Amino acid sequence: MMLKRLLAVLALSAAGAACTGQDEAGVSAEQASFRAALLTAGPVSDAGWYAGAYEGLLLLRDSLGAAISHQQTRTPSEFDEAFFSYASAGYDLIFAHGFEYQDAAIRAGERFPNTTFVVSGGGRYSANVVPLIFELEEGSYLAGMVAAGVSRSGIIGTVGGVAIPPVEGTFLAFEAGARAVNPDVRVLEAYTGSWDDVAAAKEATVAQLGRGADVIIHNVDAASFGVFQAVREAVAGGRSAWALGMNRDQNDVAPDVILGSAVIRIPEAFLETAYAWQSGALGGRPIYFGATEDVIDFVLNPALVDRVPAELRAALQTARARIRSGQLQVPRVPFVEGEPGVR
């Protein structure tokens, strides 16, 4: 159902998806069907988590006629200020793209009961504060299968930003997927403490490569460029190594070394969330998006698909189908108030 509805509108936003900036022109406040804002804690040029959210904001403009605006906010005081500014200005729907926004969103929700706040990866909710839960574990499980299946050393690595439950969950599932293929695989883990520090992510990746890892997946934002650069340099130096993307289809970011990506189709999720808001069905509970809704997936790099053995590709297809049907329950780290890790 979601895909049928989206096919009619995705083409409309394709041209706009390359735009960047704070306030987006195209629909005046007077002409708009509603007003939507986006807060991100990092740059929308990251080719990943934030870029996907910005594309989602543009999709609301181009398909639903929303007037839109974006702000980058880095500190809790900036979170509060941005929520207050947008809600006071009459914005109807405010997307805050990250777990870190949840407390500020609850405060804003109490102050502005007529505004709806949507927190990507949030764990707290109220009548007008809605966690948007991406079940990315389902994609990272498949990524783990690929990593273990192509690894020559039997050692694979994970590089994260901050050790928050949504990230820890993706790495837990990644390891489970890897062990489904090779029970003896060794999984290295590192957190840099930053989503956007390219140098720190590169250093962590180099360290894992030095310990024998030959497939590295990340869960960071702009810092992913450091992971890909480290793998590229290792390959240039004669190493056999691969990288895996996360949060968005990053296969074209470094197409020579990224074997595939654990993907969140964030624009589709934002659009479906906006439809729910328009129908009055949004609020008072989390909203989940996973493989069943075709928002979460693992996408092989078409340019490197022949590097993945045919039998591994077949196993990947089988696992994907079992996840979508509910036969395969991927491990998760619970983080939503009052709810288990699996819906």
Side-chain angles (χ1 to χ4, degrees), residues 159 192 197-209 226-227 230:
V159 176
T192 66
D197 190 332
V198 174
K202 181 179 180 181
E203 182 180 352
T205 305
V206 169
Q208 291 188 351
L209 291 166
V227 175

Side-chain angles (χ1 to χ4, degrees), residues 312-334:
L312 180 56
R313 297 199 301 271
L316 199 66
Q317 287 284 73
T318 299
R320 179 184 289 109
R322 293 184 64 221
I323 289 171
R324 288 178 173 172
S325 70
Q327 294 177 333
L328 175 56
Q329 294 293 312
V330 173
R332 312 183 194 283
V333 174

Side-chain angles (χ1 to χ4, degrees), residues 150 242 255-256 258-259 300-313:
V150 302
W242 299 107
D256 50 334
I258 298 178
L259 200 56
L300 287 169
N301 182 349
L304 298 174
V305 70
D306 61 338
R307 302 300 182 94
V308 181
E311 60 272 21
L312 180 56
R313 297 199 301 271

Side-chain angles (χ1 to χ4, degrees), residues 162-229:
V162 181
I164 59 175
V167 175
E168 293 171 327
T170 60
F171 289 164
L172 177 68
F174 177 77
E175 181 171 351
R179 295 199 185 284
V181 172
N182 177 7
D184 298 320
V185 71
R186 183 181 172 197
V187 183
L188 307 180
E189 184 176 276
Y191 288 95
T192 66
S194 169
W195 304 114
D196 302 320
D197 190 332
V198 174
K202 181 179 180 181
E203 182 180 352
T205 305
V206 169
Q208 291 188 351
L209 291 166
R211 294 170 62 188
D214 57 1
V215 185
I216 311 286
I217 195 169
H218 75 84
N219 197 336
V220 292
D221 298 324
S224 64
F225 298 125
V227 175
F228 303 146
Q229 183 180 3

Side-chain angles (χ1 to χ4, degrees), residues 49 65 67 76 95-96 108 111 115 137 169 171 180 183 188 209 217 239 246-247 268 311 326 336:
W49 174 249
F95 289 86
R111 188 167 185 177
T115 302
E137 299 93 344
F171 289 164
L188 307 180
L209 291 166
I217 195 169
R239 283 284 307 275
M246 179 79 85
N247 293 312
E268 289 90 327
E311 60 272 21
V336 177

